[in-house]
Amino acid sequence: MPQVPQTFDALAVRAWCGLALDALGRAREEIDAINVYPVADGDTGTNLYLTLESAATAVEAVFAGHEAGGGGDPGRPTLADAVGAMAHGALIGARGNSGTILAQLLRGMAQVLAGDDGPAHADGTGLGLALRHAADSARQAVAHPVEGTVLTVASAAADAAGAADGDCGAVARAAYEGARTALAETPDRLDVLRQAGVVDAGGRGLVTVLAALVESLTGETPRGPAARGPGPHPRAEAAHTVAAPRADDDAPPGPGGPAFEVIYLLEAEDAAVARLRERLDALGDSLVVVGGDGLWNVHVHVDDAGAAVEAGVEAGRPYRIRITHFGAGDAHAPGAERTPAERVQRAVVAVVPGEGLAALCTEAGATAVLARPGEPPASGELVQAVRRAHAREVVLLPNDAELRHTAAAAAEQVRAEGVRVALIPTRSAVQGIAALAVHEPERRFDEDVVAMTSAAGATRYAEVTVAERQSWTMAGICQAGDVLGLVDGDVAVIGQDLTETALAVLDRMLAAGGELVTLVVGDGAPESVAERLQARVREAYLAVDTVVHHGGRQGSVLLIGVE
């Protein structure tokens, strides 16, 4: 039967993301186990998975928007829409050294396929050009490229794709086989891999992603790559104990290394980023800066994490800052044994919208997951938080109705790892606060979950925010800039003054009674709003107490809970 020519369009992008995410999910632990470079911290597979999950989520959001009539062709975004979303999602969700490089690979493809003259679909030649630009741009993003890493694998894939003839399926097969061959040779190019008897973990992940590309275009699943290189095959534990060298071409392997991994998103101009690269390169190693058009993802390993963040502040506006301490005698210590700490019996993992509530939850003994405005955590991030809690039993509080399915997926994954997880479907941070207030780890697990669920369910919630655009609401039409008061998720009050709107919302909620009012004040609220609301409760509602928390940079100006 003659082969049907394959093209790369929006549907292919969607299928590729889904298949790649599933494949990385299956290969995650294997890739983590062979992670020895640039730091043997055993998280490359997880970081690649989280990065791809963010990309896939962004692509699904584009399709959902078009299916709802948000695009010119309802139900079908363009190739430019899909690859642009994929690249942006990967950029904002990139984790670790490998995830940051993957984000730049996807961005490089998008720059070819989503340009001003971008096609409705790409043929084999177009896909080959996209893979070439992806490999070149990723290499340029790394301060000190090293051969035998994912960069080598990406270049080999691009070389093979450029030499291939035929449709997109043929080009994808060639790229995969070129990457697979290069991956097997990585131990010959990097001593630290040869000593451990493994192939490069980042390259192994990229080969997995390219295999998914082949499957999305042909329906065929190519044979998988080997996780280990030629030569002696030591115990798998050795992958966690090999010393990591500096990520420079001429730096010899050694036992030392920076203590912190620093990652942040940065809004900055190109000229400022060029200066930032020079400063961070002098501070540490494993420097990767990816992005463009005013938004960048910065990754570096340093001893002075504060200086790395300050450099970002000087360049522009850093946010979603993540600082990870590799740990003494861990990632950089040769021969160090990783003795896992004893699991605690029970823990609480809570998603919170601002730094203030994150600190509050942490003080209460919970593991907090920060959800910044417009940046909800992915299921993989919740899984990682549950793992960090290191408990036999975990209570998960999503604190957002939109996160219920994400949290359910995370709970199912962790249950498969032997952890007992209870998901309480809290829809607001104030419900999570109420649940956490009655949490008693000494109780039986079921009894504790029932008590926390009851406390959350008995808490009505509201938020006061500012409308970004004109829209229809349950309370009528609002205009951009109007103050909205939402009660239990629905707009109940539309006003012009934030404090007056908040008072109206509070009166509406307390009309049905209540014993405790919880106020979570965001950075954008007037200084007097909490005092005005507290005064209203004292004057008009006898025997009702008020508690005030400062949420920091949260999506809503004010959160209100009534128990």
Side-chain angles (χ1 to χ4, degrees):
M1 184 176 65
Q3 184 179 12
V4 178
Q6 299 290 331
T7 58
F8 191 63
D9 59 7
L11 288 175
V13 173
R14 186 186 201 183
W16 180 27
C17 285
L19 289 169
L21 187 62
D22 289 342
L24 285 174
R26 294 190 298 271
R28 178 186 59 78
E29 291 186 0
E30 175 193 335
I31 297 172
D32 282 346
I34 62 171
N35 171 203
V36 300
Y37 184 85
V39 175
D41 50 354
D43 63 357
T44 291
T46 299
N47 287 335
L48 288 170
Y49 178 86
L50 293 174
T51 302
L52 210 290
E53 184 180 43
S54 182
T57 299
V59 171
E60 289 301 321
V62 166
F63 271 85
H66 279 261
E67 288 166 2
D73 181 10
R76 180 67 63 86
T78 65
L79 173 61
D81 292 334
V83 296
M86 175 181 66
H88 182 73
L91 178 67
I92 65 173
R95 301 291 199 281
N97 190 74
S98 55
T100 308
I101 292 174
L102 175 61
Q104 186 65 13
L105 288 167
L106 298 180
R107 177 177 170 80
M109 292 186 68
Q111 287 175 321
V112 172
L113 300 173
D116 294 337
D117 298 323
H121 55 78
D123 57 12
T125 300
L127 180 58
L129 291 173
L131 290 170
R132 175 79 272 161
H133 186 65
D136 293 344
S137 62
R139 187 171 288 269
Q140 293 166 6
V142 177
H144 300 278
V146 175
E147 295 306 326
T149 65
V150 63
L151 299 176
T152 304
V153 176
S155 294
D159 291 343
D165 293 322
D167 59 21
C168 284
V171 171
R173 284 194 198 93
Y176 171 75
E177 290 299 334
R180 188 172 179 271
T181 299
L183 176 66
E185 297 171 353
T186 54
D188 298 329
R189 291 172 171 261
L190 198 56
D191 285 345
V192 68
L193 301 178
R194 179 181 55 77
Q195 293 166 7
V198 297
V199 296
D200 179 66
R204 171 68 174 85
L206 178 58
V207 170
T208 300
V209 172
L210 290 174
L213 178 62
V214 174
E215 186 176 357
S216 68
L217 291 168
T218 68
E220 302 171 1
T221 303
R223 54 181 177 167
R228 298 187 177 278
H233 292 8
R235 298 179 304 144
E237 289 85 348
H240 294 293
T241 60
V242 176
R246 175 181 165 86
D248 291 341
D249 289 307
D250 55 357
F260 297 96
E261 178 185 60
V262 178
I263 304 175
Y264 51 80
L265 290 177
L266 177 70
E267 293 178 356
E269 300 298 326
D270 291 6
V273 171
R275 294 190 297 271
L276 175 66
R277 288 178 190 268
E278 295 179 0
R279 180 166 179 187
L280 291 179
D281 192 28
L283 284 174
D285 61 34
S286 296
L287 173 61
V288 185
V289 181
V290 304
D293 302 321
L295 180 62
W296 309 82
N297 192 305
V298 179
H299 170 280
V300 67
H301 295 170
V302 294
D303 280 321
D304 190 344
V309 175
E310 289 174 6
V313 172
E314 293 179 5
R317 187 179 78 88
Y319 60 103
R320 289 193 74 173
I321 300 168
R322 296 183 182 87
I323 300 174
T324 303
H325 183 230
F326 290 127
D330 184 33
H332 292 291
E337 293 294 333
R338 293 189 174 196
T339 304
E342 180 68 24
R343 287 183 180 272
V344 299
Q345 183 60 32
R346 189 175 309 158
V348 177
V349 174
V351 181
V352 290
E355 295 89 342
L357 289 184
L360 177 68
C361 290
T362 302
E363 290 173 4
T367 297
V369 179
L370 190 59
R372 298 192 184 279
E375 300 171 2
S379 63
E381 195 167 348
L382 297 184
V383 169
Q384 288 296 96
V386 173
R387 289 175 180 153
R388 286 199 309 274
H390 204 58
R392 299 182 183 89
E393 302 167 338
V394 173
V395 180
L396 183 55
L397 305 173
N399 294 337
D400 186 337
E402 299 296 324
L403 286 178
R404 182 171 182 177
H405 295 299
T406 300
E412 283 301 314
Q413 183 174 342
V414 178
R415 288 185 187 116
E417 299 174 4
V419 180
R420 189 179 184 187
V421 181
L423 171 61
I424 299 178
T426 47
R427 294 171 290 174
S428 171
V430 291
Q431 289 188 324
I433 293 172
L436 192 56
V438 300
H439 166 57
E440 291 185 14
E442 293 78 16
R443 279 193 297 226
R444 291 179 54 242
F445 185 64
D446 292 339
E447 293 176 354
D448 198 27
V449 171
V450 169
M452 295 175 72
T453 302
S454 298
T459 303
R460 299 187 67 201
Y461 64 96
E463 61 179 302
V464 178
T465 188
V466 178
E468 296 181 355
R469 63 184 66 88
Q470 183 188 59
S471 61
W472 291 86
T473 75
M474 296 286 290
I477 300 175
C478 73
Q479 304 295 328
D482 283 350
V483 180
L484 306 180
L486 291 82
V487 177
D488 293 338
D490 294 322
V491 176
V493 180
I494 300 175
Q496 301 300 313
D497 181 79
L498 192 144
T499 301
E500 293 302 321
T501 303
L503 288 168
V505 170
L506 180 64
D507 287 338
R508 183 176 293 234
M509 296 181 73
L510 287 174
E515 298 176 356
L516 176 66
V517 172
T518 300
L519 304 175
V520 182
V521 184
D523 283 347
E527 295 183 2
S528 63
V529 66
E531 295 178 2
R532 290 282 305 277
L533 293 173
Q534 286 179 295
R536 175 63 63 90
V537 172
R538 286 195 303 268
E539 295 166 2
Y541 304 98
L542 299 178
V544 177
D545 295 324
T546 307
V547 177
V548 179
H549 302 294
H550 294 281
R553 293 178 296 170
Q554 58 188 36
S556 300
V557 179
L558 177 69
L559 299 176
I560 304 174
V562 174
E563 300 178 46

